[in-house]
Amino acid sequence: MGRKLFVEVCNAADLMPKDGQGSASAYCTLEFDGQRRKTDTKAKDLNPVWNTVVEFPILEGKNLESEVLELSVLCEKRGAQRKPGFLGKVKIPGRSIVKKGEEALVYYPLEKRSMFSQVKGEIGLKVWWSDDPDPSPPAPASPSAAAAASGGGTPPAEEKKEDHHKEEKEERKEEEKKEEKKKDEKHEEKKKDEKHEEKKKEEKHEEKNEQKHEPKQYEEKKKEEKKENKKEDKEEKKPEETREYRSVGRREEQKDTTPALARGIGERVVTYDLVEKMNYLFVKVVKARALMESGSGSSYARIVFGSLTAKTKEVGKSLFPEWHEIFAFSKDNSAGPVVEVSIWDHETDQFMGAVGFDLQEIPFRVPPDSPLAPQWYRLENISKNAEKKVRGDVMLAIWWGTQADEAFTEAWQSDSGGYAHTRAKVYLSPKLWYLRVNVIEAQEVQPMDRTRFPEVSVRAQLGFQIYKTKVASNRNTSPQWNEDLLFVASEPFEDELLLVVQNKTAKPNEEEVLGMVKIALAGIEKRIDHRQVNSKWFDLVRYNGGDKHFHGRLHLRLCFDGGYHVMDEATHYSSCVRPTAKQLWRPVVGVLELGIIRGKDVHPMKTVDGRGATDAYCVAKYGQKWVRTRTIVDNLNPRWNEQYSWEVYDPCTVLTVGVFDNCHVHPHPEGGKDLKDLQIGKVRIRLSTLESERIYTNSHPLLMLQRSGVRKLGEIELAVRYSSVSIVSVMGLYFRPLLPKMHYLHPLGVTQSEILRISAMRLVAIRLNRSEPPLRQEVVQFMLDADFHVWSLRRSKVNYFRIMNLLAGPMAVGTWFHNICHWKNPVTTLLVHILFLILVMFPELILPTLFLYLSLIGAWRYRYRPRSPPSMDGKLSQAEQVEPDELDEEFDPIPTNKDPSVVKARYDRLRIVSSRIQHVLGDIATQGERLTALLSWRDPRASGIMVAVCMTIAIFLYVVPLRVIVVIVGLYVLRHPKFRERLPGWPINFFRRLPSLADRIL
């Protein structure tokens, strides 16, 4: 079966009346890829309901993402010649269409056809594609069907037979229709052929007449036709545009005539133009034939290249073994002019023949050249034992290539040790959903102790996430809650939702289970907005000795909220802000390309054979895509030279790159059984700080905060390029909300968001740890900043100094104005007087002058803009002058395992810091309460003075022109120091005497 597109037209709401009688007879027309479909007409209904499924076949070779589904809502009018009225249209891009199982009801606002169209209302649609023969979504079960399912009843056999006969009749009708269509098509083709032959005869007859009557004009036409044919042949023979290489620093950058969109979106090819080319010798050992009989019969192939040796797997008891393995040897390891491929017996280590190749005669292959075909080579005796008889052939292919070769990712790699857990890998984060569980009420729950009023609550569990409702306010056998619980669920849905209704007993901290229910997540409805879904009743059961008994029922409203973005990172450096539902995704605005080049002077992370060693690899995370480079074994200056790309949906996001030491190659001596990959450093790059189409190649320091202080563990050289599709679309994103609209219309609490973020992070870490090779849990936690919410005195200092740095500008302006008022520089003060009087006389120049000044400042600072992405800053992080005890406290887990005396000292220190914060907050509250006390008559004399002063000021402002008042106030503020006093002014003295609530606090 071919792929098909399905559209379920559900209903429309609040349509514009267009039939002249205050209503509309609406129907829908759908167009996709030149195909047109139509729904039924709903007469005299401004809120029509269709519930009609329309299907479109997707032709082979068509890309769904490049197509558009267009739906128009029209109004049928009486009379055959009257045009239908236009009620609105909707355009759905193919990139937002999901596969079967992910569809959700989406309400699209109806759009205008032109500026003068009168349109209102919305239409609800479900759109999906499928390869299945019957991909219609599961319809909600009817009450009778639900009852039959819960009670275990089966439908009668007669209904099954009738359904079977109906299906057979429908299939026969469809086959008859197909045959009729084929006959009609053949008949039409015959007619077309006959018409084509008639046209040819007429053209020949006209040519003969022209040749007889007008021979000169006939010859000129022939010459023109020949010239046009020659031009077409030349255009067809033109070679494709070749790609030229230009050197950028120490690497080669590829000039590509295709736009930036083609490099990163759709079918893109990694060009490796941001990294250095690394030459490798590729050896593909396929099989051998007619080998000499050996002791065990099992054989393997051994490849020797300079100081490196590799071998294939053993194939037992066969003179015609097959291996199909590829080996990639770095050119840096070449120590001789020959590479040798030999065959050996596995158990006896008996030599069975070899083939040697001169390195200078091996061909060089660069993609997109086609792969080299393997060839048969005669085995020879090149061992010391010249009398040894050898026979047989080996099939292999050998060539020089680079890391851009298609075979490189699957090959045994010399610089990564050839292990499976050291290869490069691309991972995808699981798709995360918010599961909303609305616990409404329960009925017929019966506690064991009938003498007490029940205190019933519901405990909900999904995997490791456990939440509990409050105790029901009505303490009876039909408790009510109407409380929402939010979970994080990941696709594919493996866990079941467990809800337990429990009652507090007379014993403390003990609860009685009244009933429970398990719900599969696959059948829960998905929504993309805040529209209410239907609620359901679920039977509560209780197990007694293996038997299941009915114990009431529970009323729930369950749904997956796809309109939110499930946070697994901190909002400040999030790499993705898209909602879960694909229908709400914005179009791609650019492409991010990252070249991970090399590490420099990486610190030894372990000891191997008495010397320091590091097996370094990199992990880069952006959006849902994680990439892991290959591990460079035992090298303090590793060279990766790997390039990756991501689609960008919002430029105000962050790319994170981390460097780690692989614990599996050379295990850490002190690691024990619980081995963990050690962290070497991390780099964050915000895409909005990058200029479009520019390559940034920089070395970033790898800083790590340890118990002993901050340490530089090396450097990493990265090349980054951000290419935008359209500058206009990127600029437009700056005026849109960063997060999906559900975060603003129905926001989540701060504490709740943080709890859900931790749950999402744990889910991502668990799923990625299942991959092969696994992306270890400590790596995911380090990349996602799992300890972001943990208390740290150092981070508190960082935030304090950040605030002081922000206030430095206003404080500098205040100091400057203070110097002006006190005539520190008389010339400047006089100029300020003149400027002040000009602005008072011409107030319309105030705002233009202000914004002109700001624009000039921005233009002046353009020349001093950053030329490279910023790196992690140890000074800004307050890590260079931090106390050892503060670092020890930051790395202390929760709950603490320190000595009680140490905990007491830290607690006392925290109390001192908190008292300062408490004092500042109290001062702020006092100033605010004094403002409210001006007219509250808590101090009757102060309030009386305030009322009299306000009345006087009102009369004065009414009589005296505003400009005169501004001039008087300005000159008073800028008066000479001779007319100033060192004591505070009367307004300040009056304000400080006002009462506050501080004197009433215990």
Side-chain angles (χ1 to χ4, degrees), residues 372-390:
L372 271 70
Q375 299 181 10
W376 288 104
Y377 295 92
R378 175 71 63 184
L379 294 175
E380 300 176 355
N381 185 5
I382 57 176
S383 65
K384 296 180 180 178
N385 188 3
E387 297 180 357
K388 175 70 177 177
K389 292 183 179 180
V390 172

mmCIF file of all heavy atoms in Angstrom, residues 372-390:
data_model
loop_
_atom_site.group_PDB
_atom_site.id
_atom_site.type_symbol
_atom_site.label_atom_id
_atom_site.label_comp_id
_atom_site.label_asym_id
_atom_site.label_seq_id
_atom_site.Cartn_x
_atom_site.Cartn_y
_atom_site.Cartn_z
ATOM 1 N N LEU A 372 34.604 1.727 -4.294
ATOM 2 C CA LEU A 372 35.435 0.806 -5.056
ATOM 3 C C LEU A 372 34.895 -0.603 -4.924
ATOM 4 O O LEU A 372 34.568 -1.058 -3.817
ATOM 5 C CB LEU A 372 36.888 0.855 -4.572
ATOM 6 C CG LEU A 372 37.789 1.883 -5.260
ATOM 7 C CD1 LEU A 372 37.391 3.287 -4.848
ATOM 8 C CD2 LEU A 372 39.250 1.630 -4.927
ATOM 9 N N ALA A 373 34.837 -1.321 -6.045
ATOM 10 C CA ALA A 373 34.343 -2.693 -6.035
ATOM 11 C C ALA A 373 35.451 -3.620 -5.537
ATOM 12 O O ALA A 373 36.608 -3.506 -5.948
ATOM 13 C CB ALA A 373 33.913 -3.105 -7.443
ATOM 14 N N PRO A 374 35.152 -4.554 -4.626
ATOM 15 C CA PRO A 374 36.175 -5.512 -4.165
ATOM 16 C C PRO A 374 36.653 -6.407 -5.316
ATOM 17 O O PRO A 374 35.887 -6.723 -6.243
ATOM 18 C CB PRO A 374 35.451 -6.312 -3.086
ATOM 19 C CG PRO A 374 34.277 -5.480 -2.700
ATOM 20 C CD PRO A 374 33.883 -4.721 -3.926
ATOM 21 N N GLN A 375 37.909 -6.832 -5.241
ATOM 22 C CA GLN A 375 38.521 -7.686 -6.271
ATOM 23 C C GLN A 375 39.179 -8.879 -5.613
ATOM 24 O O GLN A 375 39.531 -8.856 -4.430
ATOM 25 C CB GLN A 375 39.559 -6.885 -7.073
ATOM 26 C CG GLN A 375 38.984 -5.698 -7.815
ATOM 27 C CD GLN A 375 40.047 -4.960 -8.596
ATOM 28 O OE1 GLN A 375 41.162 -5.441 -8.729
ATOM 29 N NE2 GLN A 375 39.699 -3.780 -9.100
ATOM 30 N N TRP A 376 39.370 -9.932 -6.435
ATOM 31 C CA TRP A 376 40.054 -11.138 -5.962
ATOM 32 C C TRP A 376 41.556 -10.946 -6.125
ATOM 33 O O TRP A 376 42.022 -10.465 -7.151
ATOM 34 C CB TRP A 376 39.607 -12.368 -6.746
ATOM 35 C CG TRP A 376 38.214 -12.826 -6.421
ATOM 36 C CD1 TRP A 376 37.108 -12.653 -7.172
ATOM 37 C CD2 TRP A 376 37.819 -13.540 -5.254
ATOM 38 N NE1 TRP A 376 36.015 -13.200 -6.570
ATOM 39 C CE2 TRP A 376 36.430 -13.777 -5.366
ATOM 40 C CE3 TRP A 376 38.484 -14.021 -4.121
ATOM 41 C CZ2 TRP A 376 35.697 -14.453 -4.404
ATOM 42 C CZ3 TRP A 376 37.753 -14.702 -3.162
ATOM 43 C CH2 TRP A 376 36.383 -14.903 -3.302
ATOM 44 N N TYR A 377 42.284 -11.320 -5.061
ATOM 45 C CA TYR A 377 43.752 -11.265 -5.083
ATOM 46 C C TYR A 377 44.298 -12.635 -4.685
ATOM 47 O O TYR A 377 43.792 -13.264 -3.728
ATOM 48 C CB TYR A 377 44.278 -10.194 -4.109
ATOM 49 C CG TYR A 377 43.895 -8.783 -4.501
ATOM 50 C CD1 TYR A 377 42.722 -8.204 -4.000
ATOM 51 C CD2 TYR A 377 44.691 -8.033 -5.351
ATOM 52 C CE1 TYR A 377 42.358 -6.911 -4.363
ATOM 53 C CE2 TYR A 377 44.331 -6.734 -5.707
ATOM 54 C CZ TYR A 377 43.172 -6.181 -5.202
ATOM 55 O OH TYR A 377 42.825 -4.899 -5.551
ATOM 56 N N ARG A 378 45.324 -13.080 -5.431
ATOM 57 C CA ARG A 378 45.941 -14.375 -5.171
ATOM 58 C C ARG A 378 46.782 -14.285 -3.899
ATOM 59 O O ARG A 378 47.575 -13.371 -3.728
ATOM 60 C CB ARG A 378 46.824 -14.782 -6.340
ATOM 61 C CG ARG A 378 47.618 -16.063 -6.141
ATOM 62 C CD ARG A 378 46.722 -17.293 -6.163
ATOM 63 N NE ARG A 378 46.063 -17.449 -7.447
ATOM 64 C CZ ARG A 378 45.161 -18.408 -7.717
ATOM 65 N NH1 ARG A 378 44.834 -19.268 -6.772
ATOM 66 N NH2 ARG A 378 44.607 -18.478 -8.909
ATOM 67 N N LEU A 379 46.594 -15.259 -2.981
ATOM 68 C CA LEU A 379 47.391 -15.313 -1.761
ATOM 69 C C LEU A 379 48.800 -15.810 -2.075
ATOM 70 O O LEU A 379 48.981 -16.743 -2.864
ATOM 71 C CB LEU A 379 46.726 -16.227 -0.727
ATOM 72 C CG LEU A 379 45.374 -15.744 -0.172
ATOM 73 C CD1 LEU A 379 44.763 -16.801 0.738
ATOM 74 C CD2 LEU A 379 45.545 -14.448 0.580
ATOM 75 N N GLU A 380 49.780 -15.195 -1.447
ATOM 76 C CA GLU A 380 51.180 -15.544 -1.668
ATOM 77 C C GLU A 380 51.843 -15.884 -0.342
ATOM 78 O O GLU A 380 51.341 -15.538 0.734
ATOM 79 C CB GLU A 380 51.915 -14.377 -2.334
ATOM 80 C CG GLU A 380 51.336 -13.979 -3.689
ATOM 81 C CD GLU A 380 52.031 -12.755 -4.257
ATOM 82 O OE1 GLU A 380 52.888 -12.205 -3.526
ATOM 83 O OE2 GLU A 380 51.701 -12.363 -5.386
ATOM 84 N N ASN A 381 53.007 -16.533 -0.448
ATOM 85 C CA ASN A 381 53.784 -16.893 0.722
ATOM 86 C C ASN A 381 54.871 -15.853 0.919
ATOM 87 O O ASN A 381 55.885 -15.859 0.210
ATOM 88 C CB ASN A 381 54.399 -18.293 0.548
ATOM 89 C CG ASN A 381 55.128 -18.747 1.804
ATOM 90 O OD1 ASN A 381 55.100 -18.066 2.825
ATOM 91 N ND2 ASN A 381 55.787 -19.898 1.722
ATOM 92 N N ILE A 382 54.658 -14.926 1.852
ATOM 93 C CA ILE A 382 55.665 -13.901 2.106
ATOM 94 C C ILE A 382 56.270 -14.070 3.501
ATOM 95 O O ILE A 382 56.883 -13.156 4.044
ATOM 96 C CB ILE A 382 55.049 -12.499 1.978
ATOM 97 C CG1 ILE A 382 53.863 -12.344 2.946
ATOM 98 C CG2 ILE A 382 54.610 -12.224 0.555
ATOM 99 C CD1 ILE A 382 53.267 -10.949 2.929
ATOM 100 N N SER A 383 56.067 -15.263 4.114
ATOM 101 C CA SER A 383 56.612 -15.546 5.434
ATOM 102 C C SER A 383 58.060 -15.995 5.323
ATOM 103 O O SER A 383 58.609 -16.189 4.224
ATOM 104 C CB SER A 383 55.768 -16.626 6.134
ATOM 105 O OG SER A 383 55.874 -17.852 5.419
ATOM 106 N N LYS A 384 58.696 -16.184 6.487
ATOM 107 C CA LYS A 384 60.085 -16.629 6.515
ATOM 108 C C LYS A 384 60.226 -18.060 6.025
ATOM 109 O O LYS A 384 61.268 -18.434 5.485
ATOM 110 C CB LYS A 384 60.639 -16.504 7.938
ATOM 111 C CG LYS A 384 60.685 -15.062 8.435
ATOM 112 C CD LYS A 384 61.241 -15.008 9.834
ATOM 113 C CE LYS A 384 61.292 -13.568 10.337
ATOM 114 N NZ LYS A 384 61.794 -13.473 11.729
ATOM 115 N N ASN A 385 59.184 -18.849 6.230
ATOM 116 C CA ASN A 385 59.214 -20.249 5.787
ATOM 117 C C ASN A 385 58.837 -20.297 4.318
ATOM 118 O O ASN A 385 57.659 -20.309 3.966
ATOM 119 C CB ASN A 385 58.251 -21.081 6.634
ATOM 120 C CG ASN A 385 58.383 -22.579 6.339
ATOM 121 O OD1 ASN A 385 59.233 -22.995 5.542
ATOM 122 N ND2 ASN A 385 57.534 -23.366 6.992
ATOM 123 N N ALA A 386 59.856 -20.317 3.453
ATOM 124 C CA ALA A 386 59.596 -20.271 2.005
ATOM 125 C C ALA A 386 59.021 -21.562 1.475
ATOM 126 O O ALA A 386 58.414 -21.578 0.405
ATOM 127 C CB ALA A 386 60.888 -19.926 1.258
ATOM 128 N N GLU A 387 59.197 -22.666 2.237
ATOM 129 C CA GLU A 387 58.693 -23.955 1.752
ATOM 130 C C GLU A 387 57.203 -24.129 2.062
ATOM 131 O O GLU A 387 56.621 -25.115 1.641
ATOM 132 C CB GLU A 387 59.485 -25.077 2.429
ATOM 133 C CG GLU A 387 60.969 -25.045 2.060
ATOM 134 C CD GLU A 387 61.731 -26.164 2.747
ATOM 135 O OE1 GLU A 387 61.074 -26.906 3.541
ATOM 136 O OE2 GLU A 387 62.940 -26.292 2.494
ATOM 137 N N LYS A 388 56.635 -23.242 2.821
ATOM 138 C CA LYS A 388 55.223 -23.341 3.172
ATOM 139 C C LYS A 388 54.354 -23.184 1.936
ATOM 140 O O LYS A 388 54.502 -22.227 1.170
ATOM 141 C CB LYS A 388 54.887 -22.262 4.206
ATOM 142 C CG LYS A 388 53.423 -22.162 4.569
ATOM 143 C CD LYS A 388 52.958 -23.337 5.371
ATOM 144 C CE LYS A 388 51.508 -23.193 5.781
ATOM 145 N NZ LYS A 388 50.994 -24.382 6.512
ATOM 146 N N LYS A 389 53.443 -24.157 1.698
ATOM 147 C CA LYS A 389 52.566 -24.097 0.541
ATOM 148 C C LYS A 389 51.345 -23.237 0.868
ATOM 149 O O LYS A 389 50.763 -23.356 1.928
ATOM 150 C CB LYS A 389 52.124 -25.501 0.143
ATOM 151 C CG LYS A 389 53.259 -26.366 -0.395
ATOM 152 C CD LYS A 389 52.726 -27.715 -0.846
ATOM 153 C CE LYS A 389 53.848 -28.572 -1.409
ATOM 154 N NZ LYS A 389 53.345 -29.901 -1.864
ATOM 155 N N VAL A 390 51.001 -22.414 -0.084
ATOM 156 C CA VAL A 390 49.884 -21.484 0.073
ATOM 157 C C VAL A 390 49.012 -21.548 -1.165
ATOM 158 O O VAL A 390 49.524 -21.642 -2.290
ATOM 159 C CB VAL A 390 50.396 -20.047 0.286
ATOM 160 C CG1 VAL A 390 49.249 -19.066 0.240
ATOM 161 C CG2 VAL A 390 51.114 -19.936 1.618
#
